[in-house]
């Protein structure tokens, strides 16, 4: 049984209002792994939130099976190409 609360709804509204997206349930985490497990329930309460403009650079998103607490570690790996000196100088001018 899935439950949500007012904080979760508020977070979703905030993300939608600012064109931001939760990475949980995307990329390598297609089923939306739980990020917190307690004696009474399991839930997704830890997130990485990103703008869609970063999606092309996301290599991996994982919920790791490391249970050092009741929250699992989440990991997002980004891959950026190195800018050449010319591109770097152009980027400095346009920013």
């Amino acid at each position: 049984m899935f439950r949500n609360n007012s904080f979760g709804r508020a977070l979703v509204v905030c993300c939608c209002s600012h064109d931001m997206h939760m990475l949980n349930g995307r990329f390598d985490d297609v089923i939306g792994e739980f990020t917190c497990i307690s004696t009474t329930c399991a839930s997704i309460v830890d997130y990485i939130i990103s703008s869609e403009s970063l999606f092309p650079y996301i290599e991996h998103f994982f919920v790791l099976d490391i249970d050092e607490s009741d929250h699992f570690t989440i990991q997002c790996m980004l891959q950026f190409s190195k800018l050449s000196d010319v591109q770097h100088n152009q980027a400095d001018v346009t920013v």
Side-chain angles (χ1 to χ4, degrees):
M1 177 174 157
F2 291 101
R3 297 182 319 164
N4 58 31
N5 60 39
S6 61
F7 297 112
R9 285 189 296 276
L11 180 59
V12 170
V13 168
C14 181
C15 286
C16 291
S17 297
H18 297 285
D19 197 25
M20 301 294 283
H21 305 273
M22 292 180 191
L23 300 186
N24 304 61
R26 300 174 188 258
F27 304 98
D28 300 308
D29 182 42
V30 294
I31 61 171
E33 295 285 343
F34 293 121
T35 61
C36 180
I37 296 180
S38 70
T39 57
T40 58
C41 68
S43 57
I44 302 172
V45 295
D46 303 290
Y47 311 97
I48 295 181
I49 298 173
S50 168
S51 67
E52 193 172 339
S53 63
L54 288 177
F55 282 13
Y57 306 105
I58 296 171
E59 290 289 312
H60 300 289
F61 176 90
F62 296 109
V63 177
L64 302 177
D65 290 334
I66 300 171
D67 60 350
E68 295 174 358
S69 76
D70 55 348
H71 293 263
F72 293 110
T73 302
I74 54 177
Q75 181 181 67
C76 181
M77 297 173 62
L78 304 172
Q79 178 66 46
F80 297 98
S81 61
K82 182 179 176 184
L83 294 175
S84 69
D85 289 338
V86 172
Q87 289 173 317
H88 189 7
N89 290 338
Q90 290 174 344
D92 287 342
V93 171
T94 58
V95 172

